[in-house]
Amino acid sequence: MKKLLVLILLFGIHINFISCSKDSDTTTTDSLAEKTILNVSYGNNPQQKYDLYLPANRSSTKTKIIMLVHGGGWTGGDKADMDFFISYIKQRHPDHAIVNVNYVLADLETPAFPNQFLDVDAIINKLTSEKNELQILPEFAMIGASAGAHISLMYDYVYDTDDQVKIVGDIVGPTDFTDPFYSENPNFSLLMTALVDEGAYPQGTNYAEILSPAMRVSNASSPTLLFYGNADPLVPLTNGNTLNVALNNSLIDHNFTVYEGGHGDWGQNDIENMKEQISIAIDTYLEIMN
């Protein structure tokens, strides 16, 4: 328990612009009417739930999906933390579906990696298998905050073998665990041990490298939007710089934006600028075809 407390205190990476949560199920009867389905199970763990927002007049040939992935240092947080995005997306992208996800939070019995990446994979597989029932086209934009951005980047760069993810929004995501900001932390080895299921990786694996999205970029990576603060005490701006260079080297379309402030606690104009950049990218890379 003491080890987990240290992990949370030292690596409590969490986004600061959060919203209130929902706690009720809402559905409609007409399959082509707008529909909200809350707390859909995608596994046996009680934390394996997502909220699904389906637009009216959807179809399996055009209705693509925007996925929201919350932060919280891999050990905390909740999908409710991303609710602030829901109304904006509905207004700005009324023909897209939205899935706001929870993953199993790391503890002493359940490491984060690779389990949280596999949770995202399970969600995408479930939605894909239900595409005709739900009338959705399983192509995705992933928008992740902090630890959720790390999960989103890792999923796209490593696990998305079917190229269903078309764009990733990285909001203050850790991208390089070899950065001295992390590697020179005297508790770094303890943190990695607590977060990694060592049995899931070959013996001798360099976890700091293999779990760093900036080191997993390839020419198959999706277009990526990077948003960082210039005074972030949790994720250094150098992490954004490193990913920016890697994307440049692999000729991946991307934007890199730096705001005044820390870990998401930016001015309202900057928050609106971030949302608008994400919206323009969704229009470009996750276009709804009529």
Side-chain angles (χ1 to χ4, degrees):
M1 183 60 70
K2 183 180 293 185
K3 179 178 172 183
L4 180 59
L5 179 60
V6 169
L7 186 150
I8 293 171
L9 290 175
L10 291 177
F11 236 29
I13 296 175
H14 194 53
I15 202 72
N16 290 313
F17 35 91
I18 63 175
S19 173
C20 59
S21 64
K22 297 181 178 70
D23 56 10
S24 61
D25 258 337
T26 304
T27 61
T28 61
T29 56
D30 183 351
S31 63
L32 295 181
E34 183 178 358
K35 180 183 290 188
T36 297
I37 314 172
L38 301 183
N39 295 314
V40 179
S41 294
Y42 64 91
N44 295 326
N45 191 297
Q47 297 179 54
Q48 291 177 310
K49 301 284 181 66
Y50 59 77
D51 296 340
L52 183 61
Y53 302 84
L54 299 170
N57 302 315
R58 60 193 174 276
S59 82
S60 60
T61 62
K62 69 175 185 178
T63 305
K64 302 177 184 180
I65 306 158
I66 300 168
M67 177 181 287
L68 305 177
V69 188
H70 72 81
W74 305 280
T75 63
D78 185 84
K79 54 186 167 64
D81 298 345
M82 298 297 282
D83 280 353
F84 76 98
F85 249 129
I86 303 280
S87 59
Y88 174 83
I89 294 171
K90 283 185 173 184
Q91 180 179 7
R92 183 67 169 74
H93 304 282
D95 295 322
H96 286 79
I98 306 167
V99 58
N100 190 13
V101 310
N102 271 347
Y103 43 87
V104 178
L105 301 176
D107 58 25
L108 294 180
E109 286 71 43
T110 309
F113 314 132
N115 296 313
Q116 291 173 356
F117 313 140
L118 299 178
D119 276 357
V120 171
D121 195 50
I123 294 165
I124 287 179
N125 288 339
K126 179 175 171 61
L127 291 171
T128 300
S129 71
E130 296 174 353
K131 62 181 181 180
N132 292 325
E133 173 188 347
L134 296 171
Q135 287 296 290
I136 55 174
L137 177 59
E139 296 180 4
F140 295 82
M142 297 185 71
I143 303 171
S146 197
H150 170 261
I151 294 167
S152 300
L153 292 166
M154 284 292 297
Y155 184 81
D156 179 70
Y157 295 175
V158 180
Y159 293 85
D160 183 30
T161 56
D162 294 328
D163 191 29
Q164 291 179 266
V165 178
K166 303 303 180 183
I167 182 171
V168 181
D170 160 24
I171 306 171
V172 295
T175 71
D176 179 15
F177 292 125
T178 71
D179 190 308
F181 180 89
Y182 298 117
S183 62
E184 294 180 2
N185 182 329
N187 296 293
F188 181 73
S189 295
L190 170 64
L191 297 172
M192 273 295 170
T193 299
L195 288 170
V196 175
D197 180 0
E198 296 182 357
Y201 297 95
Q203 188 173 5
T205 295
N206 185 326
Y207 300 119
E209 290 185 1
I210 201 170
L211 294 170
S212 292
M215 311 230 170
R216 309 305 301 271
V217 174
S218 71
N219 58 12
S221 299
S222 293
T224 305
L225 300 181
L226 292 70
F227 303 99
Y228 288 85
N230 63 2
D232 193 328
L234 297 174
V235 177
L237 183 56
T238 50
N239 264 217
N241 292 332
T242 300
L243 180 56
N244 182 51
V245 170
L247 292 166
N248 275 328
N249 290 342
S250 291
L251 304 178
I252 302 300
D253 288 347
H254 67 287
N255 287 340
F256 179 30
T257 304
V258 180
Y259 298 119
E260 293 285 335
H263 199 64
D265 54 346
W266 310 320
Q268 189 59 39
N269 287 341
D270 291 335
I271 299 297
E272 295 305 317
N273 173 264
M274 178 190 72
K275 289 179 179 178
E276 182 60 20
Q277 285 196 54
I278 291 172
S279 285
I280 291 170
I282 289 171
D283 289 339
T284 302
Y285 300 105
L286 204 71
E287 181 182 6
I288 295 292
M289 305 300 293
N290 294 316

